[in-house]
């Protein structure tokens, strides 16, 4: 997992940090970028060049920055039309027993369709003995919007701790671990641009 790369054309050091991290992450079964991958939508071409042109199966969860600056509705339309996978929800089975889920909560809220899709994936996971790992940009603890959908999503996750074994996020640009009421661990990773490092990669091992 890599998060908060915030790449743009006037920050070559951020682009190089992302390239270094990707060279390490490629050794994993799945590369996941956990939001704020670009500084704003106009730098989508850099994400395509650095990530999808070389690592086409990479999952890139949306953050809050992808829609920043200018007309956010117009920006979102561009992102939805050009992103390399569904922007709101994506799930993928790895090694026949680990189901990874990427969800967009970059603007601070979930929607009914995401809840429905996660419910279906959880049902399939229980039936087939899968372990579910969730990736989202903002941790549940960091969501400030108290909406019906946010509460419903949190309840859905908490109610299925038998199959959901971790929630991973970025956004805060710092490392932290917290636990949901059900005991599910929530890991937040620091920015890939942390000045102490030449890139930051989290390796997730599922037994």
């Amino acid at each position: 997992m890599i998060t908060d790369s915030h790449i743009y054309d006037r920050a070559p050091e951020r682009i190089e940090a992302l390239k270094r991290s990707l060279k390490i992450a490629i050794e994993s079964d799945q590369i996941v970028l956990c939001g704020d991958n670009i500084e704003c939508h106009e730098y989508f071409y850099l994400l395509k060049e650095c990530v999808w042109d070389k690592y086409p199966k990479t999952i890139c969860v949306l953050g809050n920055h992808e829609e920043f600056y200018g007309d956010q509705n117009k920006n979102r339309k561009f992102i939805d039309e050009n992103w390399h996978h569904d922007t709101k929800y994506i799930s993928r089975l790895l090694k026949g027993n680990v189901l990874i889920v990427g969800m967009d909560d970059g603007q601070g809220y979930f929607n009914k369709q995401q809840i429905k899709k996660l419910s279906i994936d959880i049902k399939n996971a229980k039936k087939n003995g899968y372990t579910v790992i969730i990736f989202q940009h903002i941790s549940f603890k960091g969501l400030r919007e108290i909406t019906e959908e946010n509460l419903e999503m949190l309840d859905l996750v908490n109610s299925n701790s038998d199959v959901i074994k971790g929630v991973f996020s970025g956004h805060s640009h710092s490392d932290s671990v917290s636990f949901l009421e059900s005991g599910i661990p929530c890991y937040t990773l620091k920015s890939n641009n942390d000045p102490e490092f030449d890139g930051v990669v989290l390796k997730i091992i599922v037994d």
Side-chain angles (χ1 to χ4, degrees):
M1 170 183 155
I2 303 166
T3 192
D4 294 273
S5 293
H6 289 275
I7 61 173
Y8 66 104
D9 60 357
R10 296 183 300 281
E13 72 281 0
R14 296 185 181 186
I15 297 172
E16 291 305 311
L18 177 57
K19 288 179 178 178
R20 283 191 294 269
S21 294
L22 287 166
K23 286 180 180 178
I24 296 172
I26 190 59
E27 298 177 6
S28 65
D29 295 317
Q30 177 65 59
I31 302 174
V32 178
L33 273 60
C34 217
D36 282 1
N37 311 296
I38 48 182
E39 189 64 14
C40 64
H41 76 286
E42 65 184 89
Y43 302 112
F44 170 80
Y45 74 94
L46 288 175
L47 185 67
K48 181 178 181 298
E49 291 174 3
C50 293
V51 181
W52 282 312
D53 284 354
K54 296 182 179 179
Y55 314 101
K57 294 183 179 180
T58 299
I59 292 175
C60 292
V61 175
L62 288 181
N64 51 299
H65 266 262
E66 280 82 0
E67 297 178 38
F68 261 19
Y69 309 118
D71 186 333
Q72 290 198 6
N73 290 329
K74 184 178 179 181
N75 296 347
R76 181 65 194 220
K77 184 174 185 294
F78 173 84
I79 290 295
D80 286 339
E81 290 175 351
N82 289 279
W83 217 245
H84 280 218
H85 55 71
D86 189 282
T87 56
K88 282 295 184 183
Y89 189 97
I90 181 172
S91 61
R92 187 173 294 167
L93 186 63
L94 303 179
K95 300 292 187 179
N97 62 353
V98 178
L99 186 68
I100 61 171
V101 173
M103 299 192 292
D104 172 22
D105 69 342
Q107 301 308 308
Y109 54 85
F110 295 101
N111 63 36
K112 293 289 187 181
Q113 192 65 23
Q114 290 171 307
I115 295 167
K116 180 179 179 180
K117 288 182 177 181
L118 182 59
S119 297
I120 292 170
D121 275 338
I122 288 171
K123 182 177 180 180
N124 289 335
K126 289 176 181 282
K127 178 181 178 180
N128 295 289
Y130 301 155
T131 295
V132 178
I133 304 294
I134 295 175
F135 296 88
Q136 57 196 61
H137 182 59
I138 305 174
S139 68
F140 282 110
K141 183 179 179 181
L143 287 174
R144 297 178 181 178
E145 298 289 336
I146 303 176
T147 66
E148 176 185 345
E149 289 80 7
N150 283 0
L151 294 174
E152 188 175 349
M153 179 67 81
L154 180 58
D155 182 64
L156 175 64
V157 172
N158 266 320
S159 299
N160 291 282
S161 60
D162 55 328
V163 291
I164 300 174
K165 298 303 179 182
V167 180
F168 296 84
S169 60
H171 187 59
S172 66
H173 291 212
S174 60
D175 287 330
S176 68
V177 180
S178 60
F179 295 87
L180 298 182
E181 183 180 349
S182 60
I184 296 173
C186 298
Y187 302 90
T188 300
L189 182 63
K190 65 178 59 180
S191 168
N192 193 58
N193 302 317
D194 191 287
E196 294 185 29
F197 304 96
D198 293 325
V200 180
V201 182
L202 177 65
K203 182 178 182 179
I204 303 166
I205 299 174
V206 181
D207 293 332

